[in-house]
Amino acid sequence: MVEKNFLSKFSIGRSKYIAKDFIEIWMHYDTDRSGFMEEDEVTAFLTDLCKNRYNILDSPGGEAESDLVNQAVQQIFLTYDTNNDGQLTLNELYLILNVEDSVFNDMSPVEEMESEEIETLFNYYDKEKQGFVDSDAALFCPG
């Protein structure tokens, strides 16, 4: 049985992901819930992205495809891992994906947020003004 590509549920005809989709994508690929994406998680994400969004890597397995993904993963870390820690943060993945209507546009990295920015972020995701944010949005809390 072929495993369904997680990214296939998001519209590939659109040029941008909406913020809610971005969060869902982050949560799916941050499998260990560390708040970072390590190399194996970025590899899984990039493999799905290439297959779904760009229609490449459609043939099963293959050493050439694996090499292509590995090279792309290394390039992503060189380009987007701004603090060179071998992990992508939420903010760094945001730079890779084209996300519209994001509250992150004018914010500091999560680790450096001031209380005003945290409150802005909280209020943005507490849409029902219940005083709490459900677990799907809670990944923003620094670990």
Side-chain angles (χ1 to χ4, degrees):
M1 181 171 164
V2 175
E3 194 173 311
K4 186 175 180 184
N5 184 325
F6 177 76
L7 294 176
S8 66
K9 68 192 249 176
F10 303 102
S11 173
I12 60 170
R14 295 173 38 197
S15 61
K16 294 184 176 189
Y17 290 95
I18 61 172
K20 178 184 174 298
D21 292 347
F22 173 72
I23 298 306
E24 195 171 340
I25 290 166
W26 174 268
M27 292 185 66
H28 178 80
Y29 291 100
D30 179 21
T31 56
D32 62 3
R33 297 293 183 259
S34 66
F36 301 96
M37 287 179 72
E38 290 82 15
E39 187 172 333
D40 61 326
E41 295 165 326
V42 174
T43 299
F45 161 72
L46 189 61
T47 299
D48 283 354
L49 184 67
C50 288
K51 286 180 180 177
N52 188 64
R53 188 133 193 151
Y54 303 108
N55 280 334
I56 57 175
L57 306 180
D58 280 337
S59 60
E63 199 170 303
E65 285 106 3
S66 179
D67 287 346
L68 179 65
V69 169
N70 289 336
Q71 289 173 6
V73 167
Q74 296 310 311
Q75 187 60 48
I76 282 174
F77 277 101
L78 286 172
T79 305
Y80 296 101
D81 182 15
T82 56
N83 60 357
N84 298 313
D85 65 353
Q87 304 171 328
L88 292 184
T89 64
L90 189 70
N91 299 69
E92 291 166 343
L93 184 66
Y94 172 80
L95 296 172
I96 295 169
L97 292 178
N98 196 4
V99 182
E100 64 185 27
D101 73 355
S102 178
V103 71
F104 295 110
N105 288 339
D106 298 317
M107 291 196 161
S108 304
V110 173
E111 308 80 36
E112 299 170 12
M113 283 185 174
E114 299 291 328
S115 59
E116 297 82 26
E117 287 181 304
I118 293 170
E119 186 173 338
T120 299
L121 186 61
F122 179 85
N123 290 335
Y124 180 85
Y125 286 99
D126 183 20
K127 301 256 188 244
E128 286 81 35
K129 305 298 180 213
Q130 297 175 328
F132 65 90
V133 176
D134 66 26
S135 61
D136 287 345
L139 76 100
F140 294 112
C141 299

